[in-house]
Amino acid sequence: MVLPDPADTPVHAAPRVIIVGAGIVGAATAFFLSRAGAQVTLLDAKVPASGASGASDGAVSVASKRPGPMMALACEARTLYRQWVAQGVMDGTYHARPTYLFARTEEEVAVIARQGADLMELGERILPLTHDELMQRVPGLGQHVLAGMKVPDDGHALGYRVVDRLLQISAAQVLRHTPVQRLALSDNRVVGVVTPQGTRVADAVVVAAGLGSGALTGLDDVLIPRKGQLIVTDRATLNGAALPGPLLSAGYLAAKRRMVLGQSSTSLVIDPLVTGQFLIGSSRETGFSDRQTDVLTVSKLLREALAVYPALARQRVIRTFAGIRIGTRDGLPIVGPHPSLPGLFIATGMEGDGICLSPVVGAAVADMVLGNPVRYDVSVLNPARFGALPLSQGS
């Protein structure tokens, strides 16, 4: 098949961009591209937010980030969420709330202290708390909680609601149940995508399809699926969230700071939902891409949750589910132009940080696609760090 080259087609005033994957990163990229005048089409193998974006806790949290570029980018992303609220983009979707870190061992107390020092270096407000001080702010905590820290300026936004809002505002064309089989190439340049319905031509293609990004971009050996099992309770209150903010185990921070490849673990987060329910999670099961929950993991999470917050004993479990987060070999997302295929851009491997980072990643990718100065420094996330990324697909 002879594929049309964009250079041989009529000149469009607006660049045509195809985004593969209608999760929160794809939606944010579509938002910024559309605002800049691009003609954007999103293709999703299922429906928007059907992957990790729809199975997340919604944390827009700097407190939980790995020190270094991830923590710095999270600060910038959270600022963007606030700007979106002021502009009416996320009004009613994003809201501010504190994060409470807690420690159950002296080792975890030290982890929180190190995290606090890293946060303060970025100018983040923190409030170290003794056991008694933490009990005053979060009544009902168990006696095994030794100490903690409040990070007052974090926030929350449910992934599927953010996706819905961004797609509405961007007015991008969204094609549901349209899997991308391969890239369309001409003279070693990406000029579109091939779907079961035929070839769609574009000036640029952005792949933001989670685990589905691997085969399209040559990242199969770099991307790592991690399953997270979560629990939803019935309502503890009818008047909003039962706690002022989520309770985040220092064990979660320790796992992120260590970033041991192939490691699986459970790291407790007790998240008070605005519905009055609790979301309890989560496992971090490396190499698993099924969406099944199991009794052993759910029981372990519930035992830990009850030890930290005994008041949960009054609640009933009404649902368990699992989401698949896509990580990478080095623990950092992959954001930038493909190292050997012009016209192709990648935004994947966010693992549990996509909800928080999506505004910054979407803005940066839009700048790259349009050839503008990139407003956020995501250079450390460039896919070129993994080499040439040869594709196995045919052209």
Side-chain angles (χ1 to χ4, degrees):
M1 178 174 60
V2 178
L3 297 171
D5 190 313
D8 299 328
T9 58
V11 175
H12 291 258
R16 299 160 299 170
V17 183
I18 288 174
I19 299 174
V20 184
I24 196 166
V25 172
T29 305
F31 170 83
F32 285 106
L33 284 168
S34 297
R35 281 288 175 96
Q39 296 179 13
V40 182
T41 301
L42 288 103
L43 309 182
D44 200 280
K46 295 181 180 178
V47 297
S50 58
S53 300
S56 65
D57 59 11
V60 181
S61 173
V62 176
S64 62
K65 295 299 175 284
R66 180 181 173 186
M70 295 295 284
M71 189 178 282
L73 288 171
C75 285
E76 294 181 301
R78 194 183 56 193
T79 298
L80 255 179
Y81 267 110
R82 293 170 182 159
Q83 292 175 4
W84 275 350
V85 172
Q87 296 164 0
V89 175
M90 286 294 149
D91 192 26
T93 301
Y94 171 85
H95 64 273
R97 67 174 191 180
T99 297
Y100 291 91
L101 308 177
F102 67 87
R104 289 169 286 181
T105 66
E106 292 298 337
E107 180 184 3
E108 290 185 348
V109 171
V111 169
I112 288 179
R114 289 196 298 272
Q115 189 80 353
D118 290 324
L119 288 166
M120 284 194 296
E121 281 190 16
L122 287 176
E124 189 72 14
R125 294 194 302 156
I126 67 167
L127 179 63
L129 300 169
T130 65
H131 170 82
D132 290 341
E133 291 168 337
L134 192 54
M135 288 286 287
Q136 290 174 3
R137 288 163 176 80
V138 189
L141 279 180
Q143 293 300 314
H144 296 296
V145 176
L146 301 181
M149 183 172 70
K150 177 182 178 181
V151 182
D153 297 324
D154 275 348
H156 183 261
L158 289 172
Y160 70 89
R161 293 187 63 187
V162 175
V163 170
D164 183 62
R165 186 71 178 140
L166 291 175
L167 294 182
Q168 285 182 22
I169 294 174
S170 71
Q173 181 183 24
V174 180
L175 300 182
R176 295 163 172 81
H177 305 291
T178 307
V180 171
Q181 298 169 317
R182 63 184 186 275
L183 301 173
L185 305 178
S186 179
D187 294 330
N188 291 320
R189 178 182 177 85
V190 174
V191 295
V193 298
V194 179
T195 76
Q197 292 76 35
T199 299
R200 301 187 69 90
V201 177
D203 299 298
V205 172
V206 178
V207 177
L211 190 60
S213 304
L216 293 175
T217 60
L219 287 166
D220 270 333
D221 294 333
V222 174
L223 298 179
I224 301 171
R226 289 192 175 97
K227 180 170 76 172
Q229 299 186 43
L230 300 104
I231 302 159
V232 181
T233 74
D234 61 358
R235 291 185 175 188
T237 173
L238 300 177
N239 300 310
L243 294 174
L247 306 176
L248 178 66
S249 168
Y252 178 84
L253 301 179
K256 279 209 164 185
R257 294 178 77 101
R258 286 193 300 265
M259 289 306 302
V260 178
L261 186 65
Q263 183 184 62
S264 295
S265 61
T266 56
S267 301
L268 182 65
V269 180
I270 302 173
D271 198 337
L273 305 179
V274 294
T275 58
Q277 299 166 282
F278 289 100
L279 178 67
I280 303 168
S282 164
S283 63
R284 191 169 180 266
E285 301 168 58
T286 300
F288 289 86
S289 57
D290 66 276
R291 295 181 180 271
Q292 302 299 312
T293 58
D294 63 82
V295 171
L296 287 177
T297 302
V298 169
S299 298
K300 181 178 180 180
L301 287 168
L302 287 174
R303 284 194 299 270
E304 288 192 29
L306 285 169
V308 170
Y309 189 59
L312 283 171
R314 297 193 293 265
Q315 308 308 131
R316 293 181 300 167
V317 172
I318 62 171
R319 185 163 75 98
T320 64
F321 67 99
I324 309 303
R325 308 154 185 153
I326 307 304
T328 66
R329 286 202 314 240
D330 63 3
L332 293 174
I334 301 170
V335 180
H338 192 280
S340 57
L341 283 176
L344 179 62
F345 300 83
I346 306 170
T348 194
M350 307 292 152
E351 198 166 337
D353 296 324
I355 303 298
C356 180
L357 297 182
S358 59
V360 161
V361 172
V365 173
D367 288 337
M368 295 175 196
V369 169
L370 298 173
N372 296 332
V374 180
R375 69 195 87 176
Y376 298 105
D377 183 8
V378 294
S379 57
V380 71
L381 310 181
N382 195 304
R385 69 189 192 270
F386 296 111
L389 302 180
L391 302 187
S392 59
Q393 63 169 8
S395 59

